[in-house]
Amino acid sequence: MSRVTDALTAALAILECPLCREALERVDGGVRCEARHHFDIAKQGYASLRGGGSAATGDTVPMVEARERVQATGAHDAIAAAIAAAAPESARWLVDLGGGTGWHAARVLDARPALHGLVLDASVPALRRAARAHPRLAAVASDVWKGIPVADASVDVALRVFAPGGGERGAAELERILAPGARVVIVVPEADHHRELVEPLGLLRVPAGKAEEAAASIPGARHEATTAVTRTVRVSRAEALDLVMMGPNAFHRDRDEIAAALDEWIEPIAVTIAVSVVVLTVD
Ligand SMILES: C[S@@+](CC[C@H](N)C(=O)[O-])C[C@H]1O[C@@H](n2cnc3c(N)ncnc32)[C@H](O)[C@@H]1O
Ligand SMILES: [Zn+2]
């Protein structure tokens, strides 16, 4: 068995059928529950556990590639370090909701050698990468705002990093999968995140108060701490374009138009990274 599917087999300890919530077992080419609901494992090593009726496709290839390049520059290293620091030493299972390529999850697994992880995401290009991001990390296609294909009280650390929360339903699902003593780590942008780009390029604005909203987002969890991660990065025009096109602006704006606007700018461009890392604990 390949290293990729090993991590997936290990994750069957916490995964469940998205249709009937029964446990899953490996069968030829996929996984199956007792009620014989069958789900494929893609050749790249991620399983598809989408419930019925999900149209979510998540981030596109250009968005995923742009985020990979940004993360490779070190611009998000301080965020990753703050996330890893919040994972309890004794944690056994981590789930990263909207975990993308698994970059943050892999950093936490590096810091916690006994921890196993699972990335849930709707984006196929992100999952292809997540399946190979770390030997102890499994990747599963799922629309997490419709339901989380993970067993009750089985998760010790849940991450939600720059990913939408899915409202009350999402919060209830997240609460359901948390084990007693579990930590939830939510990373949200502050209003001045990327401010040097937002105003001149007419980008989507980040509303203030997202950290407070995140801190109160799970009724059964206690707010432990909020850590501000703020720094200035100096980037090239191409890197500035990636900062714009790795996020939700990519769904609204034309890449060439942003690139043309940036052509006038003088390098290096100073850009503020301002996020809050919000940590909640379940008693
Ligand atoms: C801004 S990216 C962040 C990715 C990752 N957490 C990181 O920081 O590198 C948001 C992610 O949420 C995923 N996503 C959006 N809607 C989703 C949904 N309904 N279910 C699962 N994933 C979703 C996207 O595909 C994307 O990978
Ligand atoms: Zn089933």
Side-chain angles (χ1 to χ4, degrees):
M1 215 183 282
S2 78
R3 160 189 142 163
V4 169
T5 52
D6 272 353
L8 190 59
T9 301
L12 295 180
I14 63 163
L15 286 168
E16 64 180 25
C17 174
L19 301 177
C20 70
R21 314 250 332 244
E22 290 296 329
L24 295 164
E25 60 171 6
R26 287 296 292 261
V27 291
D28 233 12
V31 295
R32 194 177 64 187
C33 73
E34 256 187 25
R36 303 184 85 78
H37 297 127
H38 182 280
F39 305 92
D40 290 338
I41 297 177
K43 67 174 186 300
Q44 295 89 357
Y46 65 88
S48 289
L49 294 185
R50 292 175 189 274
S54 167
T57 51
D59 285 7
T60 61
V61 170
M63 291 168 78
V64 168
E65 288 177 350
R67 186 168 293 272
E68 269 188 318
R69 287 191 294 266
V70 166
Q71 288 167 338
T73 66
H76 287 184
D77 281 1
I79 301 170
I83 295 168
E89 298 280 348
S90 59
R92 287 163 309 153
W93 276 102
L94 169 145
V95 169
D96 192 352
L97 304 167
T101 61
W103 188 80
H104 284 287
R107 293 294 187 92
V108 182
L109 296 183
D110 278 340
R112 298 282 181 273
L115 189 62
H116 287 259
L118 170 66
V119 164
L120 297 174
D121 205 284
S123 159
V124 165
L127 289 162
R128 288 181 173 160
R129 290 161 172 83
R132 298 179 177 279
H134 194 283
R136 281 178 275 121
L137 185 63
V140 165
S142 163
D143 180 347
V144 301
W145 325 135
K146 297 240 165 192
I148 304 179
V150 169
D152 295 359
S154 61
V155 172
D156 307 299
V157 194
L159 309 184
R160 176 158 75 74
V161 183
F162 298 122
E168 272 178 32
R169 165 121 195 232
E173 272 293 272
L174 175 52
E175 194 168 358
R176 177 183 66 74
I177 67 170
L178 298 172
R183 285 261 165 90
V184 181
V185 185
I186 304 175
V187 178
V188 290
E190 287 297 322
D192 55 346
H193 188 56
H194 295 179
R195 72 179 152 78
E196 297 84 352
L197 303 174
V198 170
E199 182 78 32
L201 297 171
L203 306 180
L204 296 170
R205 288 176 184 284
V206 178
K210 273 179 165 278
E212 291 76 8
E213 208 179 287
S217 63
I218 304 172
R222 176 166 50 81
H223 179 220
E224 191 81 46
T226 294
T227 307
V229 177
T230 311
R231 57 194 298 229
T232 304
V233 291
R234 285 184 171 70
V235 301
S236 65
R237 284 188 286 270
E239 287 164 349
L241 183 61
D242 280 341
L243 288 173
V244 176
M245 300 311 283
M246 72 178 181
N249 286 288
F251 292 121
H252 306 279
R253 299 294 294 274
D254 181 60
R255 180 183 186 87
D256 292 344
E257 177 217 338
I258 302 275
L262 282 169
D263 253 351
E264 314 287 318
W265 293 31
I266 296 164
E267 295 176 331
I269 302 162
V271 181
T272 301
I273 306 276
V275 308
S276 285
V277 180
V278 179
V279 181
L280 309 175
T281 301
V282 177
D283 290 317

